[in-house]
Amino acid sequence: MKRLDTSAVQGMKGALLIKNGDVTTCELALISNMAAFVAANCLDYTDGTNTVDPSTVYQVMISDGNTSTIGTYSVDEVDAHPRYDPDTYANNVALLKYNNGSQVEWKNYIAADPNEWDSEFYVQRTLVSNTTTSSWNSPQVVQASGSAPSGCSSASALYAANQVDFMCTTDTVSEGSGSCVMPYGSVYGVNGDNLAVAGLYSHSMIIGDSLCNNQGVFNYYTLLSNYLEWGGVMAQSTIYLFAVDQSYVNNDHANYTMNDPTGSTVSGILIGGDLYAIPTASSSASSSSATTSSTSSESSTEPASESSTSEDNESSSSSEEGDENSGKSSNHIAIILI
């Protein structure tokens, strides 16, 4: 079977989060022209709470997939997952609503079942001059080399306890001509000719001092499939995913949460959020939502809990939407068979 070329990403709409007029590294998983997922650690919060700070102004800047901008929209509503943990980055998802009053003009599919994927594409979207008037660089894309690298579990107790909810890679993008690297911003699932966004960058464990001086960087991506029902409730709309298996059933519990991490992790620096806010990540850094912390071989005293699981086709699929392609659906999820 011919493998899908990484250039296929250029046909997929993408987006970045804008905060108070500043471009961030935070990529979005577009649901439609009116809603998107973003990592919760890209947002600002009222001190000591999980309440999103209402004084921060958010916008969504959407590309055509390559170098042109479709539009920049003010965010009307922001909802972080109620069980988002800013210390561990568990349940690191949030829902943005924008372009209210418009009609649904297009929608994206979500790639939901890693067992069906031939491979994964890690994608980074950036602007030429990091301003909202700038054009886009062509996406940087790398195809996953296979199974998760050794060391992913030892570098993150959260990943070790929730491997169904994460992708892990050591792949990074070089920044300029120096030794600095950056994680990719999103991950896409590939099945034959079909391509769709599957998850968003959550956090990294740096073995070393920084993104510019390290012996390795483990990057973790929150898969969205278990949060689609919650996202549909927040967006008050249907979220579409694609599947090959006609018997595939996606989690339909809006209160799904990750297991609590247990066990030890390697010593390193934990980072996440808008990485432009980390001086060693970019000389153009200017934001407040990046988070960094040092970790040592400490373990959690909390026991692991069971997860609560008791118009345009924006996958690059040739299949048409319609009742004949619909699989089992929940109140807010529609499964499109390919």
Side-chain angles (χ1 to χ4, degrees), residues 192-203:
D193 293 335
N194 300 284
L195 174 69
V197 66
L200 294 170
Y201 171 72
S202 173
H203 60 280

Side-chain angles (χ1 to χ4, degrees), residues 64-148:
D64 66 350
N66 197 11
T67 60
S68 298
T69 298
I70 292 177
T72 301
Y73 306 96
S74 296
V75 173
D76 303 300
E77 186 176 331
V78 185
D79 293 289
H81 193 279
R83 293 293 300 276
Y84 164 59
D85 188 330
D87 295 321
T88 66
Y89 299 136
N91 309 301
N92 188 10
V93 291
L95 194 284
L96 306 177
K97 294 176 68 175
Y98 50 90
N99 201 18
N100 281 355
S102 176
Q103 299 296 315
V104 175
E105 299 172 357
W106 50 262
K107 54 184 173 290
N108 269 359
Y109 290 172
I110 305 295
D113 186 6
N115 294 320
E116 296 184 342
W117 303 345
D118 304 322
S119 61
E120 300 85 44
F121 288 173
Y122 288 94
V123 178
Q124 184 201 53
R125 300 182 190 273
T126 57
L127 294 163
V128 173
S129 62
N130 274 350
T131 65
T132 56
T133 58
S134 171
S135 60
W136 296 74
N137 293 304
S138 292
Q140 296 264 21
V141 188
V142 66
Q143 189 163 23
S145 55
S147 58

Side-chain angles (χ1 to χ4, degrees), residues 195-213:
L195 174 69
V197 66
L200 294 170
Y201 171 72
S202 173
H203 60 280
S204 299
M205 175 63 77
I206 300 173
I207 312 303
D209 297 329
S210 68
L211 289 171
C212 298
N213 181 25

Side-chain angles (χ1 to χ4, degrees), residues 164-165 226 250-257 306-310:
V164 297
D165 287 314
N226 280 326
N250 200 74
N251 167 55
D252 61 359
H253 292 266
N255 62 343
Y256 177 89
T257 62
E306 292 193 2
S307 300
S308 304
T309 55
S310 145

Side-chain angles (χ1 to χ4, degrees), residues 214-250:
N214 62 78
Q215 293 77 54
V217 181
F218 293 92
N219 306 302
Y220 299 92
Y221 297 76
T222 304
L223 294 176
L224 298 172
S225 57
N226 280 326
Y227 299 96
L228 297 184
E229 182 67 19
W230 172 80
V233 171
M234 295 296 102
Q236 297 179 312
S237 66
T238 300
I239 297 179
Y240 292 81
L241 60 88
F242 76 67
V244 176
D245 183 358
Q246 295 190 17
S247 63
Y248 176 74
V249 178
N250 200 74

